[in-house]
Amino acid sequence: QVQLQESGPGLVKPSETLSLTCSVSDASFSSYYWSWIRQPPGRALEWIGYIYHTGSTSYNPSLKSRVAISVDTSKSQFSLALNSVTAADTAVYYCAGAPNQNFFDYWGQGTLVTVSS
Amino acid sequence: DIQMTQSPSSVSASVGDRVTLTCRASQNIGNWLAWYQQKPGKAPRLLIYSASTLLNSGVPSRFSGSGFGTDFTLTISSLQPEDFATYFCQQANSFPRTFGQGTRVEIK
């Protein structure tokens, strides 16, 4: 069973960079596409982007100018960096894995990130 | 982006009821649709993918999905206490992947 765990600060100041890491506990790290998905309080899920173990990425155009996803295959980790954050970026951030690029079989438990001064 | 619209936004039902939730895509997505269940404070759980295929790992057979193109349904044939949750649809026809706003299934 694949397990994912998000880590990172729960509070980020406006205009700064939100940084999160997802640790994956499964030997088949290279078999999945790894995504970040967020959910503002009381609202729908929003796909942020994915990365493959090769470093290939795809981003949501609505966030593309501010987001970067990176991977460290030696640690079975991938990371999210979202810059120039505002209060609108306050959300629960999930990392998720898909065996193809399509449907998200595995999810972390989520981490709330609040943007506030 | 493909817009996913779910209806109703919430439904009240009793244990044992048959419940049908609807998801409509703003353009033809074939069968590239998934349904997720989310309980408060928890991550979403994949239930159904490719519109009608139940995930192998422990999804009860009372859940079923149907549809193709733009209109899809999730049916719970006999609602159980553990089914009270919010259900989201998600399209995988094109990027960016998009989700519906969710349907909350509440206890009547």
Side-chain angles (χ1 to χ4, degrees):
Chain A
Q1 179 76 355
V2 179
Q3 293 188 327
L4 294 80
Q5 177 71 55
E6 303 92 350
S7 59
L11 181 64
V12 181
K13 289 183 168 57
S15 80
E16 294 189 346
T17 296
L18 180 160
S19 297
L20 295 173
T21 295
C22 182
S23 300
V24 181
S25 60
D26 188 85
S28 54
F29 182 80
S30 297
S31 301
Y32 291 86
Y33 289 79
W34 302 106
S35 282
W36 287 99
I37 296 166
R38 69 181 183 178
Q39 186 174 33
R43 296 182 60 187
L45 297 154
E46 180 181 30
W47 177 78
I48 298 170
Y50 79 68
I51 193 163
Y52 196 49
H53 70 96
T54 57
S56 172
T57 56
S58 177
Y59 299 129
N60 192 321
S62 68
L63 297 167
K64 189 172 183 177
S65 64
R66 299 194 292 130
V67 69
I69 300 176
S70 57
V71 67
D72 185 339
T73 55
S74 68
K75 296 180 179 178
S76 295
Q77 292 179 336
F78 63 105
S79 298
L80 170 70
L82 180 66
N83 61 41
S84 304
V85 297
T86 70
D89 295 309
T90 293
V92 175
Y93 285 75
Y94 295 100
C95 56
N100 41 51
Q101 301 177 30
N102 303 323
F103 307 117
F104 306 103
D105 290 39
Y106 302 110
W107 296 71
Q109 85 279 8
T111 186
L112 175 63
V113 179
T114 301
V115 178
S116 175
S117 55
Chain B
D1 298 4
I2 296 176
Q3 306 303 315
M4 306 301 293
T5 303
Q6 291 185 243
S7 61
S9 56
S10 66
V11 59
S12 294
S14 301
V15 173
D17 284 353
R18 180 183 181 89
V19 174
T20 298
L21 313 181
T22 297
C23 177
R24 176 165 289 176
S26 61
Q27 63 189 72
N28 188 334
I29 61 170
N31 70 339
W32 293 104
L33 184 102
W35 289 97
Y36 299 84
Q37 177 192 67
Q38 186 178 34
K39 296 183 178 179
K42 300 294 187 182
R45 171 195 179 196
L46 179 64
L47 299 176
I48 289 171
Y49 63 96
S50 299
S52 60
T53 303
L54 248 65
L55 197 65
N56 281 338
S57 53
V59 177
S61 59
R62 62 181 178 272
F63 289 93
S64 64
S66 65
F68 189 89
T70 60
D71 293 316
F72 301 86
T73 59
L74 172 69
T75 299
I76 310 172
S77 60
S78 177
L79 200 64
Q80 297 302 301
E82 60 268 29
D83 301 336
F84 292 97
T86 299
Y87 293 84
F88 294 95
C89 60
Q90 175 238 324
Q91 65 81 20
N93 179 75
S94 64
F95 288 97
R97 304 304 192 219
T98 50
F99 294 82
Q101 81 282 11
T103 293
R104 176 186 256 182
V105 177
E106 301 173 319
I107 301 172
K108 193 171 188 177

